[in-house]
Amino acid sequence: IDADLRRPRCNRALGGQPGMGLTEVLAGHADAEPLIQRAENSPLFFLPAGSIPPNPTELLGSETMRETLLDLRTRYHYVLIDAPPILNISDAIVLSTLVDGVVLVVDQQNTPRQLIREAHSKLVFARAPILGAVLNRADLRTISYDPYGVELAA
């Protein structure tokens, strides 16, 4: 599910067709199932974000979002949600209260450790079920073991 309703990217990244998506589902204008698309050259299916609404946080925290997730959980083995960055807006924190687990994605080249700590703290405060982290854009030639690094386990 592309739940980044401010800057959606999944549709383009997965080769989807433009049109309605999660926004329209949450606004009550469409059902989710007919809007789900198959990713290009992949066995994955996804629900695009749809149009950009004036009230993303309100829509993502709605009872309709909760019901949509419950419905999709019965139809698919796994439901993954692409959310916006945690620190900029509250959308991801709101979503973290509706899911079975959160994976924090960290851009190794551009994210200072203090921001990672802040993001982690926000998730802990929201009682989000943190599963772990993914280090994105990592340069494996420069990464070394640091016993004093960021601890993401709560």
Side-chain angles (χ1 to χ4, degrees), residues 57-125:
T57 306
E58 183 180 318
L59 288 176
L60 294 171
S62 69
E63 184 60 30
T64 304
M65 181 65 176
R66 185 180 307 279
E67 291 168 3
T68 300
L69 288 175
L70 288 172
D71 178 52
L72 293 175
R73 283 179 179 147
T74 66
R75 299 172 190 258
Y76 296 92
H77 293 290
Y78 300 99
V79 177
L80 304 175
I81 301 173
D82 180 43
I86 292 174
L87 296 175
N88 300 343
I89 49 178
S90 59
D91 298 4
I93 298 300
V94 167
L95 284 169
S96 76
T97 66
L98 303 176
V99 298
D100 296 328
V102 174
V103 175
L104 184 62
V105 178
V106 177
D107 183 339
Q108 187 259 335
Q109 295 180 12
N110 295 313
T111 310
R113 288 182 181 201
Q114 183 54 36
L115 292 182
I116 299 168
R117 287 184 188 101
E118 286 178 37
H120 178 256
S121 293
K122 284 186 173 199
L123 290 169
V124 169
F125 184 77

Side-chain angles (χ1 to χ4, degrees), residues 20-22 24-26 28-36 47 64 68 71-72 75:
M20 295 195 305
L22 182 61
E24 287 72 25
V25 171
L26 299 180
H29 302 304
D31 292 324
E33 195 62 36
L35 302 180
I36 293 173
L47 176 61
T64 304
T68 300
D71 178 52
L72 293 175
R75 299 172 190 258

Side-chain angles (χ1 to χ4, degrees), residues 139-152:
D139 183 353
L140 299 178
R141 296 170 294 177
T142 62
I143 294 177
S144 63
Y145 173 72
D146 180 1
Y148 301 102
V150 176
E151 290 287 328
L152 290 180

Side-chain angles (χ1 to χ4, degrees), residues 22-55:
L22 182 61
T23 296
E24 287 72 25
V25 171
L26 299 180
H29 302 304
D31 292 324
E33 195 62 36
L35 302 180
I36 293 173
Q37 301 181 32
R38 184 156 193 168
E40 191 174 83
N41 301 318
S42 171
L44 300 175
F45 292 88
F46 73 100
L47 176 61
S51 60
I52 300 194
N55 56 344

